Amino acid sequence: MTTLTIDMARLDNDRVAIYLASTDRRVTIGVRFALEALGVELPDFLRRGRPGPRRNRINALMAAADADSGTIYNYRHEKLKIGAFAPRS
C-alpha cells in the first residue's frame, strides 16, 4: 500500500471553505466521509455542530399556533392525550 502525505494547508484554504459552505450538503457529507475514512483530521469548517437532539420544528410551530389561538385546547395536550383530550371511560 502506498503512503501519501496530505498537505493540510490546501484543505484549510478559504476558497475551499467558501465552496463547501455554498455547495449541496451531500458534497460536504462526501468530503467529510472521505477525510474521516482516510483518518485525516477535519478542518474547523467541516466539523459538525454540537451533538444532541434537534429541536422539533413541528412542536415549536404548534406551540406558536396554540399561543395565537387563545383557547385551552393545545397540540401538546392532544398529543399526550391529557386535559380535554383525555380518553373517556
Side-chain angles (χ1 to χ4, degrees):
M1 182 174 278
T2 307
T3 304
L4 297 173
T5 305
I6 298 174
D7 182 14
M8 291 302 291
R10 295 185 75 163
L11 287 176
D12 288 331
N13 188 343
D14 288 338
R15 292 186 334 174
V16 172
I18 291 169
Y19 170 74
L20 289 175
S22 64
T23 190
D24 189 31
R25 69 178 180 82
R26 293 174 290 184
V27 173
T28 306
I29 291 169
V31 170
R32 187 182 299 126
F33 169 75
L35 293 177
E36 287 178 354
L38 293 172
V40 176
E41 185 177 342
L42 295 176
D44 289 337
F45 61 87
L46 281 177
R47 295 200 182 164
R48 295 182 180 167
R50 180 181 62 84
R54 293 185 182 178
R55 186 174 150 207
N56 191 340
R57 291 183 184 142
I58 188 67
N59 287 345
L61 176 68
M62 293 308 293
D66 290 338
D68 288 344
S69 69
T71 67
I72 63 168
Y73 306 108
N74 63 38
Y75 176 72
R76 184 173 184 278
H77 288 175
E78 182 178 2
K79 186 174 167 185
L80 295 174
K81 296 187 183 337
I82 60 175
F85 298 101
R88 298 173 194 216
S89 347

